[in-house]
Amino acid sequence: MLESKCYDAPRNLVLEQVHFYVRHGERTPVGARMTGPPANIPSVWPFCNIARQFKASVIGTRGTLESLEVLRVTEKKDGKSNDGECLYGELTDEGRRSSLKFGHAIRDIYVKKLGFLPDSIDANSGVAYFRSTYFPRTVETTQQIIHGLWPTNMFLNNSVPRIRMRHPSDENLMGNWAACPRYKELMASFEKAAADRWAPELEKLDNKISKYINGKPVRIDGRPRASGLLDTVRCAKAHGVTIPPEFEEPEVIDTIEKAVVAEWFDGYKDEEVRRLAQGRLLSELVVRLRNKAFNGDHDPLKLTLHGCHDTSLAGMAQTLDVFDGRQGDGLFSICEFVLTHSRSWPDFTAYISVELFRTPVPAPTGLSQKWISPPKPTHYVRLRYQNRSLRLPACSPVGNHLPGSPELCTLESFSRRVAELTPNDWDAECRSTSKVGAAKEIKGQGPSRSPG
């Protein structure tokens, strides 16, 4: 979680722009797992009371826009319904609260502490940009963050913030194998390799875990999948739901998590996967950074906020070579140690921020300054994950970062690395290169997972 007390602004630099990529808040599992004895994980998750109170925009009898207050309920196939029951994969009340808190933290840092963002804002000013994937949990998370940052009464001139979403075929806030057959077949091959590699290690857990999954083995490609077990356990713990004691044992949960990390993210060590999964998103980021650096105050954009997934954050970190199992270089301050998990999986409302700084430009003095061009500022990019700055390997050589501050990458060196990751023609590079891959695409086969 973003914390104001853990934020330090670089000295002698001017903040120009900040970009947030935030995993959604706490949610329910995406499927029913371990619901029977002896695990007894609940099949009903009653954590959506606030989420069920909903105001819908409707057309009134006079053709004007009106607000309709409704209570949404989850109905069983027998017709019975329960107020406050969540759907699978739904943002819970706790997820809404933590997302709101995240918005408060942005306000504490960038409005109150730095004075970088305005106290109130016109949504049409171009100062802020909001986007989310098309999943309800990310959209609702983004809504809550906005409300924490700028409550409704702080939007000027009756303006309304826009949360942008893209069609599934155009989505780039997560690896989009649905629209990219080549990426899909690459990830399927890495998934199989991870399943083979980790089967012996996971087999050692069978005597402890199989009894909770109807005697089945614990495997990456099992039924249920190891990733599904991890998802259920993490969601349960986030909501105070009791889990089997074996899942509290470090050697058990660590082994499962390492196997699932290999399944989901080892593929991002491959340059082609990086290009197809993250290249377009990083390219859009660099365009915004460079526009701001070139245009200065003529470009009003100061903040972007993206509601996304665990796969978005870990995929970006792996692509930029800062995902090492602890999402950093292993050097933790007391603040970071307390506020972050030691495990590699991005937590609910985990974030990556990208900040653009510049060196200050001295004000002209004296008449001679009329004929002397002011020095051009140097721009730097800083990535942060969970309250700590990341050191990008591409920026480690001398000249690629601010001297003495390896976490402050020059915009030019950051842009060069992203250019290497950007597809020249994404659609062309996404075409399957094998008949087998094309057949899998036709049959709908490929990676057996969805974003978390």
Side-chain angles (χ1 to χ4, degrees):
M1 171 64 72
L2 181 66
E3 289 283 346
S4 176
K5 63 184 177 182
C6 297
Y7 181 88
D8 291 317
R11 295 181 180 181
N12 303 321
L13 293 180
V14 179
L15 180 61
E16 291 274 81
Q17 203 173 64
V18 59
H19 305 263
F20 277 99
Y21 302 86
V22 188
R23 188 191 178 191
H24 55 76
E26 287 83 348
R27 59 158 171 78
T28 58
V30 296
R33 307 180 190 94
M34 300 190 290
T35 55
N40 292 318
I41 298 293
S43 58
V44 173
W45 291 69
F47 304 117
C48 292
N49 291 286
I50 297 173
R52 288 293 180 249
Q53 300 170 28
F54 184 74
K55 287 188 177 181
S57 298
V58 296
I59 300 296
T61 55
R62 297 183 180 181
T64 57
L65 192 64
E66 298 179 2
S67 178
L68 173 65
E69 188 168 343
V70 298
L71 183 65
R72 296 182 293 186
V73 297
T74 302
E75 184 182 73
K76 299 289 194 299
K77 60 184 178 181
D78 61 4
K80 295 180 181 179
S81 60
N82 296 307
D83 293 353
E85 180 181 338
C86 307
L87 298 171
Y88 284 112
E90 183 176 359
L91 190 73
T92 62
D93 296 344
E94 181 60 31
R96 290 171 180 271
R97 282 188 285 266
S98 65
S99 302
L100 181 69
K101 184 179 177 182
F102 194 98
H104 290 159
I106 296 179
R107 183 172 182 83
D108 286 344
I109 295 172
Y110 293 95
V111 176
K112 297 179 180 179
K113 187 173 185 176
L114 301 179
F116 174 67
L117 295 174
D119 183 65
S120 300
I121 187 172
D122 187 323
N124 302 315
S125 64
V127 170
Y129 169 95
F130 309 114
R131 182 156 81 90
S132 168
T133 63
Y134 48 84
F135 291 77
R137 58 180 175 267
T138 56
V139 176
E140 292 167 358
T141 293
T142 306
Q143 290 172 340
Q144 292 290 145
I145 295 174
I146 294 172
H147 191 62
L149 170 57
W150 287 303
T152 303
N153 62 351
M154 291 184 174
F155 280 94
L156 304 174
N157 305 319
N158 295 317
S159 60
V160 178
R162 291 177 172 85
I163 297 178
R164 293 163 170 83
M165 292 173 287
R166 297 186 181 179
H167 290 286
S169 59
D170 299 324
E171 185 58 80
N172 65 5
L173 279 173
M174 57 187 181
N176 192 345
W177 53 70
C180 187
R182 176 58 181 164
Y183 170 59
K184 186 174 184 177
E185 68 187 35
L186 283 169
M187 292 304 287
S189 66
F190 281 108
E191 179 183 292
K192 184 179 184 306
D196 294 341
R197 173 188 168 194
W198 280 94
E201 293 300 316
L202 291 172
E203 185 179 3
K204 298 175 184 177
L205 305 181
D206 286 346
N207 63 332
K208 291 186 175 184
I209 303 301
S210 290
K211 60 187 175 184
Y212 298 116
I213 51 177
N214 299 320
K216 297 178 181 178
V218 184
R219 298 293 185 273
I220 282 178
D221 52 359
R223 294 292 183 271
R225 303 178 68 85
S227 59
L229 298 177
L230 182 65
D231 177 60
T232 296
V233 167
R234 290 179 66 87
C235 291
K237 293 192 71 171
H239 294 91
V241 173
T242 302
I243 59 174
E246 288 84 351
F247 286 105
E248 300 280 9
E249 298 177 17
E251 62 272 18
V252 171
I253 199 67
D254 285 351
T255 299
I256 295 175
E257 184 167 301
K258 287 176 181 177
V260 176
V261 165
E263 173 197 0
W264 286 58
F265 305 125
D266 272 6
Y268 284 83
K269 297 175 183 178
D270 180 86
E271 198 77 351
E272 185 179 6
V273 169
R274 293 175 173 185
R275 288 170 62 86
L276 299 179
Q278 291 285 325
R280 295 185 303 163
L281 178 61
L282 291 171
S283 177
E284 287 184 6
L285 168 64
V286 165
V287 167
R288 290 198 171 97
L289 295 172
R290 295 185 70 86
N291 282 345
K292 186 65 176 179
F294 181 80
N295 295 308
D297 291 339
H298 295 291
D299 180 355
L301 183 64
K302 288 190 171 186
L303 167 75
T304 73
L305 171 65
H306 304 82
C308 50
H309 306 268
D310 48 7
T311 54
S312 309
L313 303 188
M316 180 182 291
Q318 184 78 294
T319 295
L320 295 173
D321 293 309
V322 289
F323 185 85
D324 63 358
R326 288 182 181 268
Q327 288 283 38
D329 57 12
L331 302 176
F332 297 90
S333 71
I334 293 176
C335 183
E336 292 161 348
F337 180 79
V338 171
L339 295 172
T340 60
H341 290 280
S342 62
R343 306 191 201 286
S344 55
W345 203 271
D347 207 348
F348 298 114
T349 65
Y351 73 94
I352 288 177
S353 64
V354 183
E355 295 171 307
L356 177 69
F357 297 92
R358 65 166 172 82
T359 52
V361 178
T365 58
L367 295 177
S368 62
Q369 293 299 318
K370 293 182 179 180
W371 297 278
I372 301 176
S373 298
K376 292 183 179 181
T378 302
H379 288 82
Y380 297 96
V381 176
R382 181 174 74 169
L383 271 70
R384 287 171 59 81
Y385 175 83
Q386 298 295 74
N387 301 299
R388 65 181 182 270
S389 299
L390 303 175
R391 300 177 183 180
L392 278 64
C395 304
S396 61
V398 175
N400 285 8
H401 60 265
L402 180 69
S405 300
E407 75 280 5
L408 287 165
C409 182
T410 65
L411 176 58
E412 290 306 314
S413 58
F414 183 74
S415 299
R416 283 196 300 271
R417 178 59 184 134
V418 171
E420 296 171 349
L421 296 166
T422 302
N424 296 320
D425 185 336
W426 188 77
D427 291 326
E429 291 188 32
C430 277
R431 296 186 188 120
S432 176
T433 59
S434 70
K435 293 181 180 180
V436 174
K440 285 186 177 181
E441 175 65 18
I442 293 172
K443 295 179 181 179
Q445 298 176 9
S448 305
R449 37 194 164 89
S450 60

